[in-house]
mmCIF file of all heavy atoms in Angstrom:
data_model
loop_
_atom_site.group_PDB
_atom_site.id
_atom_site.type_symbol
_atom_site.label_atom_id
_atom_site.label_comp_id
_atom_site.label_asym_id
_atom_site.label_seq_id
_atom_site.Cartn_x
_atom_site.Cartn_y
_atom_site.Cartn_z
ATOM 1 N N VAL A 69 22.281 199.054 32.087
ATOM 2 C CA VAL A 69 23.353 198.073 31.815
ATOM 3 C C VAL A 69 24.256 198.106 32.943
ATOM 4 O O VAL A 69 24.615 197.015 33.444
ATOM 5 C CB VAL A 69 24.033 198.324 30.546
ATOM 6 C CG1 VAL A 69 25.256 197.621 30.384
ATOM 7 C CG2 VAL A 69 23.051 198.063 29.336
ATOM 8 N N ARG A 70 24.705 199.160 33.507
ATOM 9 C CA ARG A 70 25.563 199.302 34.700
ATOM 10 C C ARG A 70 24.944 198.419 35.886
ATOM 11 O O ARG A 70 25.619 197.760 36.532
ATOM 12 C CB ARG A 70 25.970 200.642 35.082
ATOM 13 C CG ARG A 70 26.905 201.226 34.164
ATOM 14 C CD ARG A 70 27.308 202.676 34.601
ATOM 15 N NE ARG A 70 27.966 203.427 33.626
ATOM 16 C CZ ARG A 70 27.404 204.467 33.009
ATOM 17 N NH1 ARG A 70 26.310 204.999 33.324
ATOM 18 N NH2 ARG A 70 28.100 205.093 32.052
ATOM 19 N N GLU A 71 23.630 198.694 36.165
ATOM 20 C CA GLU A 71 23.004 197.972 37.155
ATOM 21 C C GLU A 71 22.989 196.509 36.975
ATOM 22 O O GLU A 71 23.367 195.787 37.872
ATOM 23 C CB GLU A 71 21.523 198.492 37.219
ATOM 24 C CG GLU A 71 21.191 199.343 38.372
ATOM 25 C CD GLU A 71 19.727 199.687 38.437
ATOM 26 O OE1 GLU A 71 18.823 198.905 37.986
ATOM 27 O OE2 GLU A 71 19.438 200.825 38.943
ATOM 28 N N GLU A 72 22.728 196.044 35.712
ATOM 29 C CA GLU A 72 22.662 194.581 35.390
ATOM 30 C C GLU A 72 24.113 194.080 35.696
ATOM 31 O O GLU A 72 24.354 192.894 36.111
ATOM 32 C CB GLU A 72 22.260 194.433 34.012
ATOM 33 C CG GLU A 72 22.029 193.036 33.639
ATOM 34 C CD GLU A 72 20.900 192.356 34.386
ATOM 35 O OE1 GLU A 72 19.941 193.001 34.896
ATOM 36 O OE2 GLU A 72 20.895 191.098 34.581
ATOM 37 N N VAL A 73 25.265 194.794 35.139
ATOM 38 C CA VAL A 73 26.608 194.304 35.325
ATOM 39 C C VAL A 73 26.918 194.124 36.743
ATOM 40 O O VAL A 73 27.661 193.161 37.206
ATOM 41 C CB VAL A 73 27.526 195.374 34.574
ATOM 42 C CG1 VAL A 73 29.008 195.038 34.988
ATOM 43 C CG2 VAL A 73 27.437 195.193 33.105
ATOM 44 N N GLU A 74 26.525 195.055 37.529
ATOM 45 C CA GLU A 74 26.839 194.871 38.977
ATOM 46 C C GLU A 74 25.999 193.690 39.658
ATOM 47 O O GLU A 74 26.709 192.910 40.470
ATOM 48 C CB GLU A 74 26.360 196.128 39.755
ATOM 49 C CG GLU A 74 27.194 197.307 39.529
ATOM 50 C CD GLU A 74 28.646 197.195 39.865
ATOM 51 O OE1 GLU A 74 28.875 196.640 40.945
ATOM 52 O OE2 GLU A 74 29.514 197.553 38.992
ATOM 53 N N ILE A 75 24.872 193.451 39.155
ATOM 54 C CA ILE A 75 24.078 192.182 39.760
ATOM 55 C C ILE A 75 24.825 190.940 39.322
ATOM 56 O O ILE A 75 25.027 189.997 40.024
ATOM 57 C CB ILE A 75 22.628 192.260 39.185
ATOM 58 C CG1 ILE A 75 21.892 193.389 39.871
ATOM 59 C CG2 ILE A 75 21.911 190.835 39.339
ATOM 60 C CD1 ILE A 75 20.538 193.719 39.247
ATOM 61 N N LEU A 76 25.329 190.979 38.058
ATOM 62 C CA LEU A 76 25.980 189.820 37.445
ATOM 63 C C LEU A 76 27.381 189.585 38.189
ATOM 64 O O LEU A 76 27.718 188.460 38.397
ATOM 65 C CB LEU A 76 26.186 189.901 36.032
ATOM 66 C CG LEU A 76 24.819 189.778 35.144
ATOM 67 C CD1 LEU A 76 25.146 190.048 33.729
ATOM 68 C CD2 LEU A 76 24.238 188.419 35.311
ATOM 69 N N LYS A 77 28.046 190.670 38.404
ATOM 70 C CA LYS A 77 29.285 190.550 39.177
ATOM 71 C C LYS A 77 29.147 189.987 40.506
ATOM 72 O O LYS A 77 29.894 189.078 41.004
ATOM 73 C CB LYS A 77 30.036 191.907 39.360
ATOM 74 C CG LYS A 77 30.734 192.419 38.124
ATOM 75 C CD LYS A 77 31.334 193.750 38.387
ATOM 76 C CE LYS A 77 32.084 194.389 37.135
ATOM 77 N NZ LYS A 77 32.663 195.704 37.474
ATOM 78 N N GLU A 78 28.102 190.327 41.168
ATOM 79 C CA GLU A 78 27.693 189.844 42.487
ATOM 80 C C GLU A 78 27.412 188.390 42.463
ATOM 81 O O GLU A 78 27.835 187.520 43.375
ATOM 82 C CB GLU A 78 26.553 190.501 43.154
ATOM 83 C CG GLU A 78 26.227 190.212 44.568
ATOM 84 C CD GLU A 78 27.458 190.531 45.549
ATOM 85 O OE1 GLU A 78 28.210 191.543 45.292
ATOM 86 O OE2 GLU A 78 27.615 189.776 46.527
ATOM 87 N N GLN A 79 26.627 188.012 41.389
ATOM 88 C CA GLN A 79 26.282 186.536 41.191
ATOM 89 C C GLN A 79 27.665 185.703 40.943
ATOM 90 O O GLN A 79 27.715 184.667 41.371
ATOM 91 C CB GLN A 79 25.299 186.380 39.999
ATOM 92 C CG GLN A 79 23.898 186.874 40.393
ATOM 93 C CD GLN A 79 22.912 186.628 39.264
ATOM 94 O OE1 GLN A 79 23.324 186.509 38.148
ATOM 95 N NE2 GLN A 79 21.637 186.746 39.616
ATOM 96 N N ILE A 80 28.513 186.248 40.153
ATOM 97 C CA ILE A 80 29.638 185.464 39.788
ATOM 98 C C ILE A 80 30.546 185.344 41.121
ATOM 99 O O ILE A 80 30.985 184.282 41.332
ATOM 100 C CB ILE A 80 30.480 186.306 38.835
ATOM 101 C CG1 ILE A 80 29.754 186.212 37.369
ATOM 102 C CG2 ILE A 80 31.953 185.742 38.647
ATOM 103 C CD1 ILE A 80 30.443 187.033 36.284
ATOM 104 N N LYS A 81 30.540 186.381 41.876
ATOM 105 C CA LYS A 81 31.273 186.300 43.118
ATOM 106 C C LYS A 81 30.851 185.206 44.079
ATOM 107 O O LYS A 81 31.510 184.439 44.575
ATOM 108 C CB LYS A 81 31.207 187.662 43.900
ATOM 109 C CG LYS A 81 31.947 187.772 45.133
ATOM 110 C CD LYS A 81 31.901 189.168 45.816
ATOM 111 C CE LYS A 81 32.533 189.263 47.165
ATOM 112 N NZ LYS A 81 32.234 190.370 47.796
ATOM 113 N N GLU A 82 29.386 185.181 44.134
ATOM 114 C CA GLU A 82 28.797 184.186 44.985
ATOM 115 C C GLU A 82 28.942 182.773 44.426
ATOM 116 O O GLU A 82 29.329 181.807 45.241
ATOM 117 C CB GLU A 82 27.235 184.475 45.050
ATOM 118 C CG GLU A 82 26.907 185.649 45.895
ATOM 119 C CD GLU A 82 25.415 185.999 45.806
ATOM 120 O OE1 GLU A 82 24.664 185.312 45.195
ATOM 121 O OE2 GLU A 82 24.983 187.023 46.244
ATOM 122 N N LEU A 83 28.973 182.710 43.270
ATOM 123 C CA LEU A 83 29.253 181.373 42.497
ATOM 124 C C LEU A 83 30.717 180.859 42.723
ATOM 125 O O LEU A 83 30.932 179.663 42.947
ATOM 126 C CB LEU A 83 28.915 181.304 41.081
ATOM 127 C CG LEU A 83 27.366 181.398 40.739
ATOM 128 C CD1 LEU A 83 27.156 181.629 39.313
ATOM 129 C CD2 LEU A 83 26.586 180.131 41.259
ATOM 130 N N VAL A 84 31.579 181.770 42.628
ATOM 131 C CA VAL A 84 33.043 181.445 42.927
ATOM 132 C C VAL A 84 33.193 180.999 44.313
ATOM 133 O O VAL A 84 33.868 179.919 44.590
ATOM 134 C CB VAL A 84 33.943 182.637 42.544
ATOM 135 C CG1 VAL A 84 35.316 182.429 42.990
ATOM 136 C CG2 VAL A 84 33.908 182.819 40.994
ATOM 137 N N GLU A 85 32.535 181.666 45.246
ATOM 138 C CA GLU A 85 32.684 181.321 46.629
ATOM 139 C C GLU A 85 32.084 179.991 46.845
ATOM 140 O O GLU A 85 32.684 179.067 47.603
ATOM 141 C CB GLU A 85 32.018 182.335 47.537
ATOM 142 C CG GLU A 85 32.722 183.686 47.625
ATOM 143 C CD GLU A 85 31.873 184.756 48.408
ATOM 144 O OE1 GLU A 85 30.793 184.407 48.845
ATOM 145 O OE2 GLU A 85 32.558 185.852 48.435
ATOM 146 N N LYS A 86 30.900 179.649 46.359
ATOM 147 C CA LYS A 86 30.232 178.423 46.492
ATOM 148 C C LYS A 86 31.086 177.204 45.841
ATOM 149 O O LYS A 86 31.171 176.160 46.377
ATOM 150 C CB LYS A 86 28.890 178.380 45.846
ATOM 151 C CG LYS A 86 28.116 177.139 46.027
ATOM 152 C CD LYS A 86 26.662 177.251 45.796
ATOM 153 C CE LYS A 86 25.972 175.939 46.074
ATOM 154 N NZ LYS A 86 25.172 175.835 47.238
ATOM 155 N N ASN A 87 31.709 177.420 44.727
ATOM 156 C CA ASN A 87 32.555 176.483 44.000
ATOM 157 C C ASN A 87 33.745 176.164 44.900
ATOM 158 O O ASN A 87 34.172 175.032 45.039
ATOM 159 C CB ASN A 87 33.031 177.012 42.675
ATOM 160 C CG ASN A 87 33.741 175.996 41.839
ATOM 161 O OD1 ASN A 87 33.349 174.802 41.837
ATOM 162 N ND2 ASN A 87 34.816 176.403 41.325
ATOM 163 N N SER A 88 34.345 177.226 45.492
ATOM 164 C CA SER A 88 35.476 177.031 46.323
ATOM 165 C C SER A 88 35.061 176.147 47.606
ATOM 166 O O SER A 88 35.783 175.219 48.042
ATOM 167 C CB SER A 88 36.027 178.324 46.823
ATOM 168 O OG SER A 88 37.033 178.189 47.851
ATOM 169 N N GLN A 89 33.960 176.494 48.180
ATOM 170 C CA GLN A 89 33.414 175.755 49.328
ATOM 171 C C GLN A 89 33.191 174.205 48.964
ATOM 172 O O GLN A 89 33.606 173.350 49.684
ATOM 173 C CB GLN A 89 32.216 176.278 49.830
ATOM 174 C CG GLN A 89 31.583 175.532 51.016
ATOM 175 C CD GLN A 89 30.134 176.072 51.293
ATOM 176 O OE1 GLN A 89 29.725 176.939 50.770
ATOM 177 N NE2 GLN A 89 29.502 175.384 52.304
ATOM 178 N N LEU A 90 32.575 174.007 47.767
ATOM 179 C CA LEU A 90 32.365 172.688 47.326
ATOM 180 C C LEU A 90 33.670 171.846 47.136
ATOM 181 O O LEU A 90 33.674 170.752 47.337
ATOM 182 C CB LEU A 90 31.407 172.669 46.139
ATOM 183 C CG LEU A 90 29.924 173.078 46.315
ATOM 184 C CD1 LEU A 90 29.227 173.219 45.039
ATOM 185 C CD2 LEU A 90 29.278 172.062 47.238
ATOM 186 N N GLU A 91 34.738 172.573 46.536
ATOM 187 C CA GLU A 91 35.856 171.874 46.303
ATOM 188 C C GLU A 91 36.497 171.521 47.678
ATOM 189 O O GLU A 91 37.277 170.418 47.796
ATOM 190 C CB GLU A 91 36.859 172.949 45.521
ATOM 191 C CG GLU A 91 36.479 172.966 43.973
ATOM 192 C CD GLU A 91 37.369 173.914 43.189
ATOM 193 O OE1 GLU A 91 38.085 174.650 43.845
ATOM 194 O OE2 GLU A 91 37.265 173.899 42.094
ATOM 195 N N ARG A 92 36.510 172.466 48.613
ATOM 196 C CA ARG A 92 37.007 172.064 49.953
ATOM 197 C C ARG A 92 36.284 170.914 50.585
ATOM 198 O O ARG A 92 36.984 170.000 51.128
ATOM 199 C CB ARG A 92 36.939 173.240 50.940
ATOM 200 C CG ARG A 92 37.931 174.332 50.599
ATOM 201 C CD ARG A 92 37.925 175.385 51.724
ATOM 202 N NE ARG A 92 36.646 176.068 51.954
ATOM 203 C CZ ARG A 92 36.174 177.170 51.439
ATOM 204 N NH1 ARG A 92 36.949 177.669 50.554
ATOM 205 N NH2 ARG A 92 35.072 177.618 51.764
ATOM 206 N N GLU A 93 34.953 170.806 50.474
ATOM 207 C CA GLU A 93 34.131 169.716 50.925
ATOM 208 C C GLU A 93 34.547 168.467 50.294
ATOM 209 O O GLU A 93 34.726 167.456 50.881
ATOM 210 C CB GLU A 93 32.642 170.094 50.785
ATOM 211 C CG GLU A 93 32.149 170.978 51.727
ATOM 212 C CD GLU A 93 30.674 171.293 51.524
ATOM 213 O OE1 GLU A 93 29.923 170.557 50.837
ATOM 214 O OE2 GLU A 93 30.242 172.276 52.082
ATOM 215 N N ASN A 94 34.702 168.535 48.981
ATOM 216 C CA ASN A 94 35.145 167.383 48.166
ATOM 217 C C ASN A 94 36.426 166.850 48.580
ATOM 218 O O ASN A 94 36.638 165.627 48.813
ATOM 219 C CB ASN A 94 35.072 167.718 46.597
ATOM 220 C CG ASN A 94 35.341 166.569 45.895
ATOM 221 O OD1 ASN A 94 34.880 165.396 46.048
ATOM 222 N ND2 ASN A 94 35.972 166.689 44.688
#
Side-chain angles (χ1 to χ4, degrees):
V69 167
R70 282 187 198 109
E71 255 184 26
E72 189 68 24
V73 165
E74 289 303 315
I75 291 169
L76 291 173
K77 281 182 179 178
E78 188 63 33
Q79 287 177 344
I80 289 170
K81 182 181 172 187
E82 290 171 6
L83 289 171
V84 166
E85 289 172 2
K86 182 162 179 108
N87 187 42
S88 175
Q89 177 189 358
L90 290 172
E91 285 177 351
R92 286 191 304 270
E93 287 178 11
N94 187 31

